[in-house]
Amino acid sequence: MIKIAPSILAADPLNLERDVRTAEKAGCDWIHVDVMDAHFVPNLAYSADTVRRLSQVTQLPLDVHLMMDHPETMVDAFLDAGASCLTIHAEADSDITALLAGIRKRGRMAGLALKPGTPLEAVHPYLELTDLVLMMTVEPGFGGQKLDPRVISKIRGLKDAGYTGEIEADGGIREDNLEMLVMNGLSVAVMGTALFGQKDMAECIRRLHGIKNEL
């Protein structure tokens, strides 16, 4: 069954606890937290303190995505704050092997993300150290963009290569394009406005959870 991870970028910043609790009650599987440093991407969002407070108001796993030039400076802070899965970028100027191994050593899921234009081959040297590969289906930094169809072949390529970890995608995912992504191997869908804009999120989640069983 596809896992649904609502992105808090699309939640009401003045009512974040309320919206996270709503997502949990609606049947969402993870909570996705995008961390942006205003350098790696042209936006700024969320600190380890936000993750710490979220861990106190929800039982759902916190899926934290570090969009940072130097994630090594903040990995321990986010793990200490309660991140269940911590994802860094393959494009970061860092020791990717050491960071992934360190996340796993702390007993958490280690993720590796790719921007839409980065070749899939960039993750190949690290797959044995990852529990999750995150395919950005839009240019990271802002919500509300349309899904980049080039990423579909990368999702399929990772699945066809025998990768057994979670394959996650983030950006422009809606109910009307999720089935196509699932058919190509997606196992975790990050969704923002497509979820928080729903009048009945629980009913929407029930439909989304049914997609894989219907294929």
Side-chain angles (χ1 to χ4, degrees), residues 129-148:
L129 288 169
T130 68
D131 304 291
L132 174 149
V133 174
L134 169 57
M135 305 288 189
M136 294 302 300
T137 43
V138 299
E139 286 299 327
F142 296 94
Q145 302 178 61
K146 291 185 178 180
L147 184 145
D148 187 332

Side-chain angles (χ1 to χ4, degrees), residues 65 67 89 113-116 134-140 151 169-170:
H65 174 198
M67 289 181 268
H89 265 267
L114 287 179
K115 291 182 179 181
L134 169 57
M135 305 288 189
M136 294 302 300
T137 43
V138 299
E139 286 299 327
V151 181
D170 181 7

Side-chain angles (χ1 to χ4, degrees), residues 8 13 21 48 53 85 98 101 103 107 127 145 152 165 210:
I8 64 170
R21 290 186 185 276
R53 289 292 291 122
C85 176
I103 294 167
L127 289 180
Q145 302 178 61
I152 298 170

Side-chain angles (χ1 to χ4, degrees), residues 72-107:
E72 67 276 5
T73 64
M74 294 301 297
V75 161
D76 284 335
F78 280 96
L79 293 175
D80 291 343
S84 307
C85 176
L86 196 61
T87 296
I88 61 174
H89 265 267
E91 301 90 353
D93 185 16
S94 302
D95 187 339
I96 302 298
T97 297
L99 287 174
L100 293 172
I103 294 167
R104 279 185 158 184
K105 189 175 181 179
R106 293 283 303 270

Side-chain angles (χ1 to χ4, degrees), residues 91 115 120 123 174 197:
E91 301 90 353
K115 291 182 179 181
L120 181 60
V123 303
R174 307 183 308 271

